[in-house]
Amino acid sequence: MKCYFICLLSFLVILSGCSSEAQDANDVSIEEVSYVALLNIEGDNYYSYDLAEKGEYTIVEELGEVQKKIKGGVMPKENLTSNYLLEGTKIFTVKEDPEVFLAKVQDKYEVYKKYP
């Protein structure tokens, strides 16, 4: 009898654990999430690729500044918003590639390439 009770109790514990995990999975929203550093420019997202090497890119002009920093796990949807870059970070266009932008972070430039 004691063995039957232990088996039944174990089964109930396992069953309740499975049901709570399934319930938590149903509570997750279907919103797009990203943990990559992203920058939205005119409706397209660009991801942080690397730091620019000296002489690798030629700056053409300043495109603007980051207007809004959003939460890290959210995809930016508005122009000049980022889930990584701080408000006021300057964004530059480059001569070499129209799908690459540079963000000036402190004294370095981060390369942002178009998100696939």
Side-chain angles (χ1 to χ4, degrees):
M1 184 66 151
K2 188 175 183 181
C3 181
Y4 175 73
F5 179 71
I6 292 173
C7 288
L8 180 62
L9 184 61
S10 297
F11 177 74
L12 290 175
V13 168
I14 291 171
L15 184 64
S16 69
C18 291
S19 96
S20 69
E21 285 181 28
Q23 184 178 16
D24 292 342
N26 291 335
D27 291 341
V28 174
S29 70
I30 304 179
E31 181 179 340
E32 287 186 68
V33 176
S34 171
Y35 295 101
V36 175
L38 293 172
L39 169 65
N40 185 296
I41 298 174
E42 298 177 3
D44 292 321
N45 282 323
Y46 295 81
Y47 68 98
S48 178
Y49 178 73
D50 201 359
L51 292 177
E53 296 293 324
K54 189 172 182 176
E56 183 178 2
Y57 293 102
T58 307
I59 292 176
V60 175
E61 66 181 347
E62 182 179 327
L63 178 71
E65 296 181 354
V66 173
Q67 300 298 308
K68 185 177 176 184
K69 181 182 184 292
I70 59 176
K71 291 181 183 179
V74 178
M75 296 281 283
K77 295 181 181 171
E78 296 175 27
N79 188 36
L80 294 174
T81 58
S82 176
N83 66 353
Y84 173 73
L85 296 169
L86 298 176
E87 291 178 13
T89 301
K90 294 184 186 295
I91 309 300
F92 299 92
T93 60
V94 297
K95 180 180 178 181
E96 290 75 14
D97 189 344
E99 292 189 349
V100 169
F101 294 91
L102 299 181
K104 188 171 185 181
V105 179
Q106 296 173 356
D107 292 331
K108 298 178 182 178
Y109 290 93
E110 285 188 32
V111 179
Y112 279 78
K113 291 189 174 187
K114 192 164 187 180
Y115 194 70

